[in-house]
Amino acid sequence: MNKMLPVLSTMLISTALAGGAQAQTSTVPDRGTVNVNGATVFYKAQGQGQPLLLIHGYPLSGELFKHNRNIPGYRVITVDLPGFGMSKAPSREASIENYATTMVGFMDALKIDKAVVGGMSMGGMTLFQMYKLAPERFKGLIFIDTTADPAGIAEAASWRGMAQQAEQKGVASLVPALLPRMLTGESRMKMPNQVMHLSNIVKNASLNGAIGGGNALADRPDANPVLPTIKVPTLLVFGLEDNVTPVELAMKLQKGIAGSKLVLIPGAGHAAVFEKAAAANAAMVEWLRTVR
């Protein structure tokens, strides 16, 4: 009787796929770590359904997505990049390309053959390189407050300055400079819990992460050549008041990625997916209904 179960499962899956149903439910554990590329990568997973992997920006962690884990029909997996949150980086050397290789390896380790993947800021830059490496692994892409452009001279100097400041004055010293970029002035005045949550995430980054990530942002590759190669459904979610990756960059991505959908979230800065989580979730839920 047991020998028939794999055959029966295969028949059921084939029938579902033939009928246009969505892919298999993800069985990723609720939390854990995997060793990839010399790094120890921590993750959390919540919900039932297909895998939806979310990658944070600098110098944050998967807890950026604290309020984005309840997406109907999806097993939402939030990951800490090496050196951030509860993940460990082997050294201060880092690059966007290496983050991408690590994240594809992370998908391999958890047996995620194909998924919808989202990335915020540095996570979005990582996602461009992941797609370049293995486009067949993606059902859809969500780019959140990010850009395909390489860093200009002034921006690169700013990110290297962040890395240098972390080394000289400690990671916590980055909070006053970064919070005004992540949250609007109104949120910083009226929502102390948001300020405290993001501040604590930044403070939890390791020195290896803060230095490596800052330099990785400064030296990031030009991802614009990737844009016309994207052939899967793509959602762009940007804060209307984002002063790090402003709406002009959002519109540039929309123009470069054929068929992409842009959602601008009023009253949100660079951390739109956290600052206005309900609006971001609604945008993702509506768009995900179109992803097959």
Side-chain angles (χ1 to χ4, degrees), residues 4 10 14 71 76 78 83 88 151 177 189 201 221 251 265 273 275:
M4 294 183 66
T10 302
S14 299
I71 304 294
V76 179
T78 58
K88 307 297 181 185
M189 287 179 62
I201 293 177
M251 292 186 292
I265 300 182
V273 75
E275 187 172 14

Side-chain angles (χ1 to χ4, degrees), residues 16-17 20-26 49-53 73-74 107 112-118 127 130-131 134-143 230-235 287-292:
L17 292 175
Q22 294 181 328
Q24 265 186 295
T25 296
S26 172
Q50 298 182 70
L52 169 58
L53 174 63
Y74 284 84
M107 291 175 69
I112 302 171
D113 294 329
K114 200 167 186 176
V116 176
V117 182
L127 183 52
M130 291 171 67
Y131 188 85
E136 72 282 356
R137 304 294 295 274
F138 301 91
K139 286 195 68 175
L141 304 171
I142 305 173
F143 293 105
I230 294 176
K231 306 300 181 185
V232 297
T234 301
L235 174 66
W287 173 78
L288 284 165
R289 291 194 187 106
T290 70
V291 178
R292 294 290 182 264

Side-chain angles (χ1 to χ4, degrees), residues 173-225:
S173 72
L174 302 181
V175 171
L178 290 173
L179 262 292
R181 301 185 185 191
M182 294 183 190
L183 300 173
T184 61
E186 183 174 8
S187 289
R188 299 198 310 277
M189 287 179 62
K190 297 180 178 178
M191 305 186 77
N193 288 342
Q194 284 193 341
V195 173
M196 183 179 296
H197 183 74
L198 287 184
S199 297
N200 287 338
I201 293 177
V202 173
K203 292 174 184 178
N204 285 335
S206 71
L207 189 56
N208 280 355
I211 293 173
N215 290 327
L217 284 167
D219 297 326
R220 67 181 184 262
D222 182 359
N224 283 291

Side-chain angles (χ1 to χ4, degrees), residues 55-58 96 118-129 141-150 155 217 220-221 223-224 227 230 234-239 242 244-254 257 262 269-272:
I55 306 170
H56 63 84
Y58 175 89
I96 300 299
M120 177 266 184
S121 195
M122 186 173 76
M125 299 167 194
T126 298
L127 183 52
F128 283 122
Q129 300 306 311
L141 304 171
I142 305 173
F143 293 105
I144 306 161
D145 294 296
T146 192
T147 179
D149 293 347
E155 186 193 349
L217 284 167
R220 67 181 184 262
N224 283 291
L227 303 187
I230 294 176
T234 301
L235 174 66
L236 311 170
V237 179
F238 278 70
D242 186 349
V244 180
T245 51
V247 293
E248 290 82 1
L249 294 178
M251 292 186 292
K252 183 178 180 181
L253 288 182
Q254 185 185 30
I257 304 173
L262 171 61
H270 191 53

